[in-house]
Amino acid sequence: MSRTALRICPLCEATCGLSVTVDGDRVTAARGDRDDVFSKGFICPKGAAFGQLDADPDRLTRPLVRRDGVLREATWDEAFAAVQAGLRPVIEKHAPDAVGVVLGNPNVHTVAGALYPPVLLSALRTRNVFTASTVDQMPKHVSSGLLYGDALAIPVPDLDRTDHLVVIGANPLDSNGSLCTAPDFPGRIRALRRRGGRLTVIDPRRTRTARLADEHLAIRPGTDALLLFAMVRVLFEEGLVDLGERAEHIGRTDEVARLAEDFPPEVVAPVCEVPAERIRGLARELAAARTAAVYGRIGSTTVEFGTLTSWLIDVLNILTGNVDRPGGIMFPLSATGAAPRPPRPGRGFALGRWRSRVSGHPEAKSELPIVALAEEIDTPGEGRIRAAVAIAANPVLSVPDGDRLDAALASLDFMVSVDPYLNETSRHADVVLPPPPPSRSAHFDFAFNALAVRNQVRYTRPVLPLADGRPDECEIHARLILCAGGQDGADPGLVDTMVIDTALGKAVADPHSPVHGLQPSDLSGELTGQTGAERRLDMMLRLGPYGDGFGADPEGLTLARLLDHPHGIDLGPLTPRIPGVLKTRSGTVELCPEPIAAEVARLRSTLTARPDELLLIGRRHLRSNNSWMHNVPALTGGSNRCTVQVHPDDATRLGLTDGGLARLKGDGGELEVPVEITDTVRPGVVSMPHGWGHDRPGTRTGHAAADPGVNVNQLNDGSRLDVLSGTAVLNALPILLTPVP
Ligand SMILES: Nc1nc2c(c(=O)[nH]1)N[C@H]1C(S)=C(S)[C@@H](COP(=O)(O)OP(=O)(O)OC[C@H]3O[C@@H](n4cnc5c(=O)[nH]c(N)nc54)[C@H](O)[C@@H]3O)O[C@H]1N2
Ligand SMILES: Nc1nc2c(c(=O)[nH]1)N[C@H]1C(S)=C(S)[C@@H](COP(=O)(O)OP(=O)(O)OC[C@H]3O[C@@H](n4cnc5c(=O)[nH]c(N)nc54)[C@H](O)[C@@H]3O)O[C@H]1N2
Ligand code: SF4
Ligand SMILES: [Mo]
């Protein structure tokens, strides 16, 4: 007998509602949930393959524990005992920093990943914290921290109302959007065009997104900061700056004008290889549009000037009066975020409060650059990492110079991985703790609701029950936290109780909270939910901006009310939030922060540097996701291939043939890669996808190993960083290409 059930898709940031068909103990089909308040039936090929991905026979079903050098299946109790026996001696013998924590991308897609790693980090007190953010969006956090005083206050383009969308280094038609949660991004772009709006795409490749654009500027990779500065200069020079209604909350515009003086369009044009007239034209169009939103992603962050570029994107939005207004860029208000409170100066955002041991990299947002993970393990001396906790992370493939990290991980005293696969990274673990597949996990988007183009809230419970004796991922995290504290065997529910007590204690002490002065124990007694995680969700919803405040607003949101709305609750379009959202010391938007001004000198020097002949950039494929979806037959093959794309002119010049092999040489090493000749990349640029290279021994991803591809990050030695954020440069890397006979 088959039945249908609802499940929010965890496979990318679009968070589509799925309606899945369940036959027995398997998901056999997935369709878009037409009644979902946000995604309204949209689905992509990955969501449609939810059942295959969920039932991948290579997913681990039992924990693995290393005994006599070999990973073998074990019971859950044995596995957690091994975690405690491995971690405690390192914690007791060395400083807290001897444990390195590595958090990968899927943590932002799971309930466990949102709720437990912060508790683990405060229990471990290590400064050796590395996440996928420093091969991704950290520059945007730093930019937001400096501008708005809050690294998590990332404004998103108001897609459904804007009149002119400028997309820089993003390809939402394949990625389905990032730092901009918008189910059916393609449909929303088409709707923009239909209502007479304009789309400009700045990208060295003519992507599927660029093909929808009114104008595509095929910029030279790595030069966006120059182009954007030139646009800023045009706005000042031509008197087009108009701060709009938020003007009184924006400080230090004059200093930005001064910085921009060095970047006239005519000077940057030959470096960006975008005509000066078009740079002026785009600045004028932005100023003239009724509303406009400039939006950037991976091609704007994982570059040498990622933080400057991220900052310039918001500066352009601010100078044209488009920040915090409908149709511009706006701050979402998530149901589990902090309730708005009266504006007041904040504590601001600090960078570099400590530094990494070996290279002295400054911390950003309490993280160290993930490219420094290998050297923190393999460089002897006081404070060296001796044990690692990796959760949903595959840095051996996702971070520059995986070979060095591979060797470093193998040398650890102890490593535990929370991961469903035995892959390039988890194969080094002494204990692998596999979470159940998504069909057996609850889903709530703690991270992405705060980045969504519409305020809404949705929750789905597991579609299928857990197999006997198998913990869900929340319980795995909670038990891991207990093991780190030497409390293996204690009730994992204690972790949730402790978090709830602490949070309620804070809330009752806060004069702005609806529960001010009440008893925490009375409040925790009111929480509902079947699991500790659900009780925490109930608490966050009730204390959040739309919450019932534990009875203060009887109409307000609770977990029970959310469960009554299986397709979600629409909370309306985004609304203005300045000045309440600001946490800078001045209480205003700090348009020209000191660290940024210092970076501009470095940018200026690139105007005279001799350009490299050939630059390497990345690309994503619709049916893929970073390193872990090459094991699903439905998502591989066709155009989803690990090739190097080369423009026909370059191919002719270099003697390359379509389908032939090329040898690529970068700072970090060499690879042989099949050539794909295409004029979708501009001349002087070649493109390779990441997440490939599944041919290492000791892994258990059979389908992926049959067509392993090569690891593009091996071309990169990791020495190039966006210095302010510690983010690895993954795009615009100099590269040499020669034919392999
Ligand atoms: N050259 C190049 N490199 C890049 C990029 C690029 O554009 N170019 N992009 C970068 C970006 S943006 C990112 S985010 C990183 C990603 O880097 P990572 O986060 O290191 O890699 P992922 O492939 O996303 O997968 C991480 C791991 O999560 C596991 N996993 C999947 N689902 C779950 C789950 O539900 N629970 C748990 N516990 N584990 C799960 C997978 O098996 C996999 O081992 O890669 C970066 N690397
Ligand atoms: N199908 C699929 N979806 C995904 C993922 C996936 O792997 N596959 N990964 C997820 C993750 S972790 C993330 S972070 C997001 C990323 O989401 P996006 O950023 O939208 O994804 P990309 O396809 O990497 O787009 C980056 C674009 O930047 C361009 N680019 C490269 N260098 C430069 C440059 O110097 N300047 C400019 N202007 N452009 C440049 C590239 O040509 C590319 O088109 O996608 C998420 N969604
Ligand atoms: S767009 Fe993203 S969230 Fe939507 S179905 Fe596809 S993978 Fe899932
Ligand atoms: Mo990412």
Side-chain angles (χ1 to χ4, degrees):
M1 245 262 298
S2 76
R3 61 184 170 95
T4 58
L6 300 175
R7 174 48 158 108
I8 300 163
C9 180
L11 304 179
C12 87
E13 301 182 32
T15 74
C16 303
L18 304 181
S19 168
V20 299
T21 307
V22 181
D23 279 297
D25 68 349
R26 265 177 98 117
V27 171
T28 51
R31 285 176 295 116
D33 171 18
R34 262 178 294 169
D35 299 319
D36 184 285
V37 294
F38 194 23
S39 65
K40 305 202 162 100
F42 181 77
I43 190 170
C44 84
K46 278 192 291 186
F50 180 92
Q52 287 102 306
L53 192 107
D54 199 66
D56 183 346
D58 280 335
R59 275 182 186 267
L60 302 172
T61 56
R62 303 182 65 203
L64 304 177
V65 175
R66 192 176 300 277
R67 303 228 193 272
D68 306 321
V70 184
L71 280 173
R72 292 203 175 84
E73 289 197 349
T75 67
W76 286 96
D77 285 343
E78 285 165 349
F80 284 110
V83 171
Q84 177 156 318
L87 276 183
R88 286 307 300 173
V90 175
I91 294 172
E92 280 155 19
K93 241 194 307 189
H94 304 280
D97 294 345
V99 180
V101 176
V102 190
L103 302 173
N105 169 276
N107 283 303
V108 285
H109 298 272
T110 63
V111 170
L115 295 184
Y116 298 88
V119 189
L120 177 70
L121 293 180
S122 60
L124 288 172
R125 293 182 301 112
T126 173
R127 285 180 168 175
N128 277 318
V129 180
F130 309 87
T131 83
S133 296
T134 50
V135 274
D136 189 348
Q137 82 291 357
M138 189 59 93
K140 197 70 201 177
H141 288 304
V142 171
S143 163
S144 276
L146 295 170
L147 278 167
Y148 313 116
D150 181 355
L152 296 177
I154 295 180
V156 301
D158 188 13
L159 271 192
D160 299 338
R161 292 183 287 186
T162 193
D163 296 286
H164 187 172
L165 178 66
V166 181
V167 173
I168 302 176
N171 181 16
L173 258 81
D174 286 325
S175 70
N176 275 304
S178 180
L179 295 188
C180 176
T181 284
D184 195 10
F185 211 122
R188 291 173 202 263
I189 286 188
R190 288 187 191 102
L192 161 78
R193 300 291 316 277
R194 269 202 308 276
R195 66 176 179 265
R198 190 173 167 81
L199 174 68
T200 304
V201 171
I202 303 178
D203 197 305
R205 293 167 49 230
R206 193 171 70 254
T207 60
R208 294 208 299 138
T209 308
R211 270 174 253 169
L212 290 183
D214 297 272
E215 180 169 35
H216 170 214
L217 300 173
I219 192 170
R220 239 181 86 78
T223 66
D224 299 76
L226 295 172
L227 180 136
L228 297 175
F229 244 136
M231 287 173 63
V232 169
R233 188 185 142 125
V234 172
L235 293 178
F236 281 109
E237 186 183 284
E238 302 189 2
L240 299 174
V241 171
D242 175 4
L243 300 180
E245 282 179 34
R246 299 285 164 271
E248 59 173 306
H249 302 293
I250 296 162
R252 304 180 66 176
T253 45
D254 295 353
E255 289 165 57
V256 176
R258 255 196 312 282
L259 288 177
E261 273 168 21
D262 292 336
F263 303 97
E266 292 69 22
V267 171
V268 307
V271 187
C272 304
E273 296 180 12
V274 172
E277 242 346 275
R278 281 320 302 143
I279 299 174
R280 283 189 187 279
L282 186 54
R284 289 172 189 150
E285 284 157 21
L286 273 189
R290 207 172 56 88
T291 65
V294 187
Y295 160 70
R297 260 323 261 129
I298 286 292
S300 73
T301 54
T302 56
V303 287
E304 188 184 351
F305 293 100
T307 301
L308 265 190
T309 308
S310 299
W311 168 77
L312 281 161
I313 284 171
D314 279 17
V315 166
L316 278 170
N317 286 310
I318 291 166
L319 294 179
T320 51
N322 281 304
V323 71
D324 204 38
R325 83 162 170 200
I329 59 166
M330 303 193 78
F331 299 94
L333 186 60
S334 146
T336 50
R341 47 162 67 235
R344 48 158 193 194
R347 272 191 296 178
F349 174 77
L351 274 171
R353 292 163 298 169
W354 56 85
R355 288 179 174 265
S356 70
R357 177 182 66 105
V358 179
S359 290
H361 294 300
E363 66 68 46
K365 200 171 159 275
S366 305
E367 294 182 24
L368 295 172
I370 198 164
V371 287
L373 173 59
E375 68 181 23
E376 291 299 331
I377 299 172
D378 68 21
T379 311
E382 189 75 16
R384 178 180 182 181
I385 295 177
R386 295 313 313 146
V389 179
I391 306 179
N394 193 6
V396 169
L397 292 190
S398 53
V399 173
D401 198 0
D403 286 351
R404 179 173 178 185
L405 184 59
D406 205 42
L409 294 176
S411 76
L412 286 169
D413 293 347
F414 180 74
M415 172 171 169
V416 52
S417 268
V418 181
D419 205 290
Y421 287 105
L422 188 60
N423 63 15
E424 297 76 14
T425 297
S426 62
R427 75 190 179 110
H428 292 297
D430 298 287
V431 180
V432 184
L433 303 169
S439 61
R440 292 162 205 265
S441 315
H443 192 87
F444 187 89
D445 281 299
F446 290 96
F448 299 123
N449 286 345
L451 295 162
V453 298
R454 200 171 164 92
N455 292 320
Q456 41 70 45
V457 58
R458 295 164 297 151
Y459 176 62
T460 48
R461 279 186 164 158
V463 164
L464 281 160
L466 289 166
D468 267 349
R470 210 173 158 174
D472 71 3
E473 187 162 0
C474 294
E475 187 179 335
I476 293 174
H477 283 228
R479 286 187 74 175
L480 184 60
I481 292 164
L482 292 172
C483 290
Q487 292 178 282
D488 181 30
D491 174 8
L494 285 175
V495 172
D496 300 306
T497 307
M498 184 201 72
V499 171
I500 288 170
D501 290 348
T502 309
L504 290 177
K506 264 198 204 140
V508 298
D510 176 357
H512 295 289
S513 169
V515 297
H516 181 235
L518 300 180
Q519 276 304 320
S521 55
D522 293 344
L523 300 176
S524 63
E526 280 184 41
L527 292 175
T528 65
Q530 295 172 345
T531 59
E534 281 198 347
R535 285 160 49 78
R536 288 174 65 182
L537 173 59
D538 191 30
M539 175 185 72
M540 292 167 82
L541 292 170
R542 298 178 81 167
L543 292 176
Y546 312 91
D548 82 334
F550 287 82
D553 173 8
E555 302 295 299
L557 198 57
T558 62
L559 175 65
R561 184 150 298 140
L562 187 51
L563 287 166
D564 284 341
H565 293 82
H567 306 283
I569 299 174
D570 181 41
L571 299 166
L574 305 185
T575 51
R577 293 191 56 203
I578 286 179
V581 76
L582 302 176
K583 291 187 186 163
T584 49
R585 284 171 191 272
S586 61
T588 63
V589 176
E590 287 176 9
L591 203 59
C592 195
E594 296 312 332
I596 291 280
E599 266 286 90
V600 175
R602 229 165 51 82
L603 178 69
R604 219 177 283 126
S605 71
T606 66
L607 284 171
T608 47
R610 210 169 68 90
D612 296 291
E613 202 160 82
L614 212 52
L615 295 172
L616 173 69
I617 63 170
R619 71 174 186 270
R620 281 173 161 75
H621 192 278
L622 179 61
R623 287 183 302 125
S624 191
N625 188 52
N626 298 335
S627 76
W628 68 278
M629 268 177 217
H630 297 135
N631 208 49
V632 182
L635 296 177
T636 48
S639 57
N640 186 11
R641 290 190 303 139
C642 184
T643 60
V644 57
Q645 295 184 334
V646 184
H647 187 273
D649 294 352
D650 289 321
T652 308
R653 184 170 56 87
L654 299 165
L656 299 167
T657 51
D658 193 56
L661 274 185
R663 179 169 295 117
L664 275 71
K665 192 171 181 313
D667 296 337
E670 296 186 16
L671 294 174
E672 289 186 5
V673 191
V675 174
E676 184 183 339
I677 298 180
T678 165
D679 67 0
T680 57
V681 287
R682 47 158 284 165
V685 173
V686 299
S687 167
M688 269 187 74
H690 68 284
W692 293 84
H694 306 292
D695 51 1
R696 293 178 201 252
T699 57
R700 200 181 298 167
T701 50
H703 183 72
D707 181 13
V710 292
N711 177 10
V712 68
N713 284 322
Q714 207 51 53
L715 295 169
N716 187 342
D717 66 4
S719 61
R720 296 166 193 260
L721 289 180
D722 169 50
V723 288
L724 287 180
S725 70
T727 303
V729 174
L730 304 174
N731 281 293
L733 295 164
I735 196 91
L736 291 174
L737 224 63
T738 47
V740 177

